[in-house]
Amino acid sequence: MKVLIADDHLLFRDGLRRLLAQFQSDMTFVEASSFDEVNQLCEAGDDFDLILLDLGMPGWTGFSDLGRIHQRLPQALLVVVSASEQRSDLLAALENGAAGYIPKSSSAKVLMGALQLVLAGGIYVPSQAIRGDLPVGEEHLGEEPLSHSGLAGTENLTPRQREVLAHLRAGKSNKQIAHELGLTEGTVKVHVTAILRLLGVRNRTQAALTAHGV
């Protein structure tokens, strides 16, 4: 597995590389300290499997930078590892192709669990984003405790989560759900992640199978 670690702090890159080396023995690492370097690597067509990058590095011009990386290397799993815990940043990252958003305040255990989820095809967002409030103008994500006990009942879902789940059952994409419910696609992704955790399932198909009666 080829991994790009992009952060402007050498010490953090070194620590992340050492941690990941324990996670999977066949990982190879490439490092970048600015978005200019990231762009050069992407333009060179390097076949990265996983890209871990910070926000606000030298050369950063906004979240469209993430979108361009995702467009150039759509096969690479893009995960933001950032000091920012603003939900607006989380949503913007998801909107621009990120498969996960890990705050730098997270423990090593949480980081490894998040990467396992992303590598298994899931989307990781921190639990506080699922349980708390989004910025003004966004949807409330609910404050129910997360369930890990298997196929929990849909009664644990908020009304908005039940709406999203009903659309999942109809086979609609996140983009379609966002359009029909008047949400951003990033908000829908967070809702879907919350639904999967609350129902104790691993993917959208399993979630849809629990949706009878919603």
Side-chain angles (χ1 to χ4, degrees):
M1 176 179 292
K2 191 171 184 179
V3 181
L4 170 60
I5 300 176
D7 193 286
D8 55 338
H9 292 94
L10 175 60
L11 188 61
F12 185 80
R13 295 200 309 271
D14 184 61
L16 197 54
R17 187 182 67 252
R18 291 174 183 273
L19 184 64
L20 292 174
Q22 301 173 30
F23 176 63
Q24 192 166 320
S25 59
D26 64 345
M27 282 187 174
T28 58
F29 299 98
V30 176
E31 297 184 19
S33 60
S34 70
F35 267 96
D36 291 334
E37 291 179 18
V38 172
N39 287 329
Q40 290 173 5
L41 291 167
C42 291
E43 290 171 358
D46 281 16
D47 53 343
F48 296 111
D49 299 294
L50 177 65
I51 299 175
L52 304 174
L53 80 169
D54 190 16
L55 306 177
M57 289 187 294
W60 163 261
T61 61
F63 285 94
S64 58
D65 288 337
L66 300 183
R68 285 190 288 273
I69 294 170
H70 181 60
Q71 289 177 351
R72 289 170 180 164
L73 299 176
Q75 80 288 351
L77 293 170
L78 179 61
V79 177
V80 171
V81 184
S82 175
S84 171
E85 298 190 17
Q86 295 291 323
R87 291 188 183 85
S88 56
D89 288 344
L90 181 152
L91 291 172
L94 294 177
E95 293 258 0
N96 284 278
Y101 191 101
I102 306 173
K104 285 186 175 179
S105 61
S106 302
S107 67
K109 181 179 179 180
V110 167
L111 186 145
M112 299 304 278
L115 292 180
Q116 286 179 327
L117 176 63
V118 169
L119 292 172
I123 294 174
Y124 177 81
V125 295
S127 59
Q128 60 266 35
I130 292 175
R131 289 188 292 226
D133 289 319
L134 291 173
V136 175
E138 294 289 354
E139 291 294 323
H140 188 275
L141 292 178
E143 297 178 348
E144 297 292 339
L146 300 184
S147 171
H148 301 283
S149 58
L151 298 181
T154 56
E155 66 273 8
N156 290 328
L157 304 180
T158 67
R160 176 61 87 189
Q161 289 166 353
R162 289 165 67 87
E163 283 186 296
V164 172
L165 182 53
H167 283 72
L168 284 181
R169 188 184 178 195
K172 295 177 181 177
S173 67
N174 288 348
K175 187 174 183 179
Q176 290 173 312
I177 296 172
H179 176 73
E180 294 184 17
L181 296 182
L183 304 174
T184 68
E185 192 171 350
T187 299
V188 172
K189 287 182 180 181
V190 175
H191 278 305
V192 170
T193 300
I195 289 167
L196 297 184
R197 292 191 186 184
L198 286 165
L199 295 181
V201 298
R202 298 179 64 85
N203 56 51
R204 297 164 72 98
T205 300
Q206 291 177 352
L209 292 174
T210 70
H212 297 288
V214 173

